[in-house]
Amino acid sequence: MRAWTRPAVPHAAGESVPPRLYDTASQQLVETRPDDVARLYVCGITPYDATHLGHAATYLAFDTLQRVWLDAGYRVHYAQNVTDVDDPLLERAAATGVDWRDLAAQQIELFRHDMESLRILPPDDYVAVTEVIEQVGRATRILLDRGIAYLVDDDVYFDNRAAQEAAPWVLGDESNLDRQTMLALFAERGGDPDRAGKKDPLDPLLWRASRDGEPSWPSEAGAGRPGWHIECSVIALMHLGRDFTVQGGGSDLVFPHHELSAGHAAALSGHPLARVYSHAGMVAYQGEKMSKSLRNLVLVSQLRDAGADPRAIRLALLAHHYRSDWEWFDDGLGEAAQRLATWAAVVDRARANGVLEAVPAPAEREMLDRMRAALRDDLDTPGALRAIDEWAAGRPGAVSTQLTDAIDALLGIRL
Ligand code: 5CA
Ligand code: ZN
């Protein structure tokens, strides 16, 4: 599927190193030192109620990761899915009397527009589930044939216990959760622990047999449609291969989604899904997690329509560390606009005075070093913004293009 237009990423002078990133599985900071190409998968949207600031913050976190890799001289191969057929989308389409395909298409288009306006780097492979139905059916068939999946009526379930014996994967190793917590989260996030006939309440659905009034496709697993987790395993394996550099998403995906998509991929390939599991914190609004079900959403498109500069939206999100849970307050945008204006005034003044230099002055070089050091330290964007604030507060008379290029390359803000 078409992604969106790639923003220019200037080359920033000087050298950087790959970042250290917090790994949810090992619960520590790890070096993300790719072989040569950094391979990244980030779970994409389920296309309804897009794009709220929680979505935007999560994609911006992994945008920053890519920019730091690029700055360190790596190439990046980035894949992202779109969950364009799943229960919540079908329910919303039914409730609003819209065809689910139209709802998905309209929301994906809005998402593209939002990502483009925020200058978020697009995936190289942007893949909708409806584009890989055949491959998911085949993967399900393979797991059935290997005895790692079983039927309940005509629905196909993943056998967690059999997978643990056959593959380099242990339930709970990615998420570090106890079984009680896993059971609660599984029920809350799309799982069906009480379905009669399952071997283990935590076994997830791989393939849902066709039902009246639901979309379905013929496949090697019978007529039906994919379960949720398997889509990401199949798309990631197809485009990135096994054992890729980073699997990313918001922290609401740690369990069951990333745990079980890692299990499916390990059972299919015989190798771990990814080296690092990275998760962005949850953005709240009005005291609760911003979520489709609570309907407490602030949409990127609403802010844009109200006249916000997309660079200010970007800065308002970058002001929070990606891993923390934080709450959006409406004045966050005003503060970001103020910060942007302060920075832009320094550059505009230098430009007007004809002192936009090629080579950075010592204070600029120091700021650049601080900015890079912050970003390589688990993507500390608040630290990077502080470094720029302090430099701007010194009211420098001259500004180098290397500096404005570096701010653009690393933070996606063109001054
Ligand atoms: N389609 C699945 C992933 S395969 C899905 O979770 N879609 S989503 O539309 O619900 O979320 C898209 C991305 O935004 C996911 O990475 C999710 O973790 C993240 N996300 C959702 N809500 C928030 C929030 N309030 N704060 C931060 N990130 C969020
Ligand atoms: Zn996913």
Side-chain angles (χ1 to χ4, degrees):
M1 200 169 58
R2 182 174 63 82
W4 54 92
T5 307
R6 188 178 182 84
V9 181
H11 173 74
E15 280 296 303
S16 188
V17 286
R20 277 149 47 93
L21 201 62
Y22 185 82
D23 174 34
T24 306
S26 62
Q27 300 176 284
Q28 58 184 353
L29 287 175
V30 295
E31 298 280 338
T32 57
R33 204 172 278 283
D35 300 329
D36 59 344
V37 178
R39 291 175 295 150
L40 172 69
Y41 186 91
V42 179
C43 282
I45 55 165
T46 303
Y48 66 102
D49 288 343
T51 309
H52 64 64
L53 291 178
H55 297 144
T58 288
Y59 297 115
L60 190 51
F62 295 99
D63 176 84
T64 306
L65 172 61
Q66 293 174 70
R67 288 170 182 276
V68 177
W69 272 330
L70 292 171
D71 188 50
Y74 290 99
R75 284 189 296 130
V76 178
H77 186 168
Y78 177 27
Q80 186 179 130
N81 68 311
V82 178
T83 308
D84 65 345
V85 56
D86 198 14
D87 295 344
L89 173 74
L90 299 175
E91 283 160 19
R92 173 59 67 85
T96 50
V98 182
D99 186 282
W100 63 274
R101 281 161 291 223
D102 295 339
L103 175 60
Q106 181 253 325
Q107 289 287 302
I108 293 166
E109 193 50 31
L110 179 62
F111 179 71
R112 286 191 183 106
H113 201 73
D114 291 334
M115 292 293 103
E116 205 167 297
S117 75
L118 293 175
R119 304 186 78 225
I120 289 183
L121 295 167
D124 302 290
D125 301 296
Y126 193 42
V127 185
V129 180
T130 51
E131 294 178 303
V132 294
I133 300 283
E134 189 186 326
Q135 290 87 341
V136 173
R138 182 165 314 134
T140 305
R141 180 77 256 159
I142 290 169
L143 293 173
L144 276 166
D145 292 346
R146 288 187 191 159
I148 306 176
Y150 59 93
L151 289 170
V152 177
D153 303 323
D154 289 331
D155 299 326
V156 187
Y157 281 86
F158 187 67
D159 187 331
N160 285 332
R161 196 181 45 78
Q164 290 189 156
E165 284 163 15
W169 172 76
V170 176
L171 181 69
D173 266 10
E174 260 82 44
S175 55
N176 296 292
L177 298 171
D178 59 64
R179 193 169 165 87
Q180 263 335 95
T181 312
M182 286 197 263
L183 277 165
L185 289 175
F186 189 75
E188 204 178 290
R189 297 173 177 168
D192 53 358
D194 301 326
R195 169 92 190 254
K198 290 206 314 185
K199 293 186 182 176
D200 177 338
L202 290 176
D203 288 346
L205 181 71
L206 289 168
W207 186 262
R208 179 171 162 89
S210 66
R211 312 277 204 279
D212 280 351
E214 290 187 12
S216 87
W217 293 262
S219 86
E220 291 177 39
R225 61 180 165 98
W228 176 25
H229 318 300
I230 183 81
E231 72 190 56
C232 289
S233 323
V234 166
I235 294 170
L237 283 173
M238 275 173 69
H239 292 283
L240 300 178
R242 62 207 196 189
D243 216 2
F244 56 83
T245 318
V246 172
Q247 159 75 316
S251 61
D252 56 341
L253 299 184
V254 171
F255 192 89
H257 183 56
H258 284 174
E259 183 80 55
L260 294 169
S261 41
H264 299 342
L268 286 164
S269 74
H271 291 262
L273 175 70
R275 299 198 183 147
V276 176
Y277 295 83
S278 172
H279 294 99
M282 287 294 110
V283 179
Y285 187 54
Q286 297 170 336
E288 294 199 76
K289 174 191 158 184
M290 201 177 278
S291 86
K292 297 165 174 177
S293 49
L294 294 173
R295 317 234 50 180
N296 57 339
L297 307 177
V298 180
L299 303 182
V300 172
S301 50
Q302 280 170 350
L303 298 180
R304 258 206 338 261
D305 290 348
D309 182 333
R311 294 177 301 172
I313 305 176
R314 201 173 158 108
L315 269 184
L317 300 173
L318 289 171
H320 301 270
H321 188 260
Y322 82 96
R323 209 144 58 77
S324 56
D325 295 329
W326 58 275
E327 179 161 355
W328 173 262
F329 292 104
D330 296 325
D331 53 8
L333 190 59
E335 286 161 19
Q338 183 55 51
R339 175 176 246 157
L340 180 64
T342 306
W343 296 359
V346 172
V347 177
D348 289 345
R349 194 172 54 236
R351 216 173 257 142
N353 294 338
V355 279
L356 210 56
E357 310 282 349
V359 179
E364 291 180 311
R365 216 168 291 143
E366 189 197 315
M367 182 273 255
L368 190 52
D369 287 348
R370 276 183 62 196
M371 186 166 83
R372 279 195 167 120
L375 292 174
R376 82 160 299 256
D377 179 19
D378 200 23
L379 311 178
D380 177 11
T381 54
L385 302 194
R386 268 196 309 278
I388 305 175
D389 286 344
E390 284 166 27
W391 161 81
R395 298 182 56 79
V399 176
S400 79
T401 48
Q402 285 187 8
L403 192 87
T404 50
D405 280 352
I407 292 173
D408 187 1
L410 285 160
L411 297 175
I413 306 276
R414 187 82 218 153
L415 293 172

